[in-house]
Amino acid sequence: MNELYSIGDVARRTGLSVSAIRFYADKGVVTPTGLTDGGFRLYDVHAIARLELVRTLRDLGAGLDDIRRVLAAETTLHDLAVTHLRLVEDRLRQFRARRAVLRTIVRQHTTTEQVSLMRKLVSMSDDDRDRLVDRFWDFVTDGLDVHPGYVERLYSLRPHLPEEPSTEQLEAWIELAEIVQDEEFRTALRDFFHRTFGTEQGRLLASPEMMARIERHRTLLLEARASQQAGVSSDSPQARDIAERVAAGSAELVAAMTGEYDVGRARRGIVEFDGNGEAAQRMAAVTGLKLLTRYQSLVATVNGTPEPDPERAAAVREWMAAALRQGA
């Protein structure tokens, strides 16, 4: 025999309030299985199971019409879940964007106009972001007399905000979008590029041949960093071999620019490396280089790629210096 339960028992079993159960009955979502002689609602186990499903779907944000269609088998639970998952993910993106704007407001003195701008920035489409970055590099490279391949390389330094960005990525994008529209930033970076590549030596530095050499040297430095982080001892033959190849690569870069190959000088440059970072600080003091580094760092954060780490680079250089000293 199908046992029937009073509305009070159903409320205890489902966690719903008595008034909620009555509401769903009155709306035709889950009607009572029967009534007592006194007119009180009674529910069987099937009706209770339906009420438990209703509670779950309501907790997930489903509306009454959607729930009715599921219970009437006019739509599947899977299809309803797909629809609501899409809605939930959209809301999550909106909340991440709001959190990024709010955190930025808390960190800095933000005007009403800036708040509106930040909200617009986080809502940009991929095409809008690309156009913004293109306009920035159009301005910075206007009149720059270098190989077109180098200009293309600069244009490739662009943010690609993921479909579900973290708050940190959104905050980095807000800052990046603001600085690429800042006239002072744009002008200072353009002046830096024109000064750096406005000479014959500078144009040579931006040539495809030199860019290929620089990329090969970067690969050597990445190998050194991986070995140092893996715990390879600086007094090992492996460390000495890597350090020697880095020194040779440095000498080749200088020779390509000056015509003078001096691997001994390159070794001394590594061995006498300033572990306190004074040389790095002097380089960072160059305004244009600081601006470019900041741009690259923000792009790395947005794209979820490793950022430049001066302290890590210094540790690798010291590791190579120790390796070369051991072999001296």
Side-chain angles (χ1 to χ4, degrees):
M1 183 175 179
N2 189 10
E3 186 174 358
L4 299 177
Y5 299 88
S6 70
I7 194 169
D9 288 336
V10 174
R12 285 187 289 274
R13 286 171 174 268
T14 62
L16 292 166
S17 66
V18 170
S19 59
I21 296 171
R22 288 178 180 146
F23 172 79
Y24 292 134
D26 295 341
K27 294 297 183 179
V29 179
V30 178
T31 57
T33 307
L35 299 173
T36 66
D37 292 339
F40 295 103
R41 296 175 173 91
L42 296 171
Y43 294 83
D44 63 11
V45 292
H46 300 293
I48 291 173
R50 289 160 71 87
L51 281 167
E52 289 174 336
L53 176 59
V54 169
R55 180 189 176 188
T56 299
L57 293 177
R58 289 293 279 173
D59 287 344
L60 292 173
L64 289 182
D65 290 339
D66 289 332
I67 293 173
R68 285 194 189 93
R69 284 194 289 271
V70 170
L71 295 177
E74 295 174 2
T75 187
T76 67
L77 185 59
H78 175 269
D79 289 342
L80 178 65
V82 168
T83 299
H84 279 272
L85 177 60
R86 191 179 303 117
L87 292 173
V88 168
E89 288 176 340
D90 185 57
R91 291 296 299 276
L92 281 174
R93 282 191 289 272
Q94 293 177 23
F95 278 121
R96 287 193 190 98
R98 290 177 188 174
R99 183 169 62 175
V101 171
L102 290 171
R103 285 178 59 165
T104 304
I105 293 171
V106 169
R107 271 204 321 270
Q108 60 190 28
H109 298 293
T110 307
T111 66
T112 305
E113 293 75 13
Q114 286 174 313
V115 172
S116 299
L117 174 61
M118 284 188 281
R119 190 73 184 91
K120 178 181 178 182
L121 292 176
V122 297
S123 303
M124 274 185 170
S125 67
D126 291 341
D127 288 341
D128 289 336
R129 283 190 289 272
D130 280 340
R131 281 192 289 269
L132 185 63
V133 174
D134 283 341
R135 287 195 297 270
F136 168 71
W137 285 116
D138 286 345
F139 178 87
V140 170
T141 62
D142 183 37
L144 190 63
D145 184 20
V146 294
H147 191 279
Y150 183 75
V151 175
E152 290 177 11
R153 190 184 185 94
L154 293 177
Y155 273 83
S156 70
L157 298 173
R158 64 177 59 240
H160 300 286
L161 201 63
E163 185 176 346
E164 297 185 5
S166 66
T167 302
E168 291 71 25
Q169 287 173 309
L170 285 169
E171 289 174 340
W173 162 245
I174 289 173
E175 183 179 346
L176 183 65
E178 288 177 336
I179 64 175
V180 298
Q181 297 178 87
D182 181 78
E183 195 65 26
E184 185 176 349
F185 181 93
R186 287 152 43 101
T187 301
L189 194 58
R190 182 180 65 181
D191 292 345
F192 166 72
F193 277 110
H194 281 262
R195 283 195 310 271
T196 303
F197 301 105
T199 64
E200 183 177 349
Q201 192 175 48
R203 286 187 286 274
L204 176 60
L205 186 63
S207 67
E209 294 78 15
M210 280 301 299
M211 294 308 299
R213 288 178 183 274
I214 292 171
E215 182 59 29
R216 287 195 295 270
H217 191 61
R218 189 182 74 88
T219 301
L220 283 174
L221 293 174
L222 289 175
E223 181 184 351
R225 185 176 73 175
S227 298
Q228 186 263 343
Q229 289 180 330
V232 175
S233 175
S234 61
D235 61 3
S236 67
Q238 180 183 351
R240 175 63 188 271
D241 172 69
I242 293 172
E244 287 286 3
R245 286 189 284 121
V246 170
S250 298
E252 289 173 2
L253 279 176
V254 173
M257 294 293 294
T258 65
E260 297 179 7
Y261 179 82
D262 189 345
V263 71
R265 182 177 181 181
R267 285 196 197 97
R268 289 192 297 274
I270 295 175
V271 170
E272 297 168 5
F273 168 66
D274 178 9
N276 293 322
E278 292 179 7
Q281 290 172 11
R282 286 196 299 270
M283 285 298 292
V286 179
T287 302
L289 188 59
K290 286 177 65 177
L291 297 178
L292 181 60
T293 300
R294 185 57 187 157
Y295 177 90
Q296 291 172 325
S297 178
L298 290 170
V299 169
T301 300
V302 173
N303 294 345
T305 54
E307 296 183 43
D309 188 341
E311 291 186 4
R312 180 176 295 175
V316 176
R317 288 292 297 271
E318 180 55 43
W319 177 81
M320 290 190 294
L324 291 176
R325 291 190 198 103
Q326 290 291 332

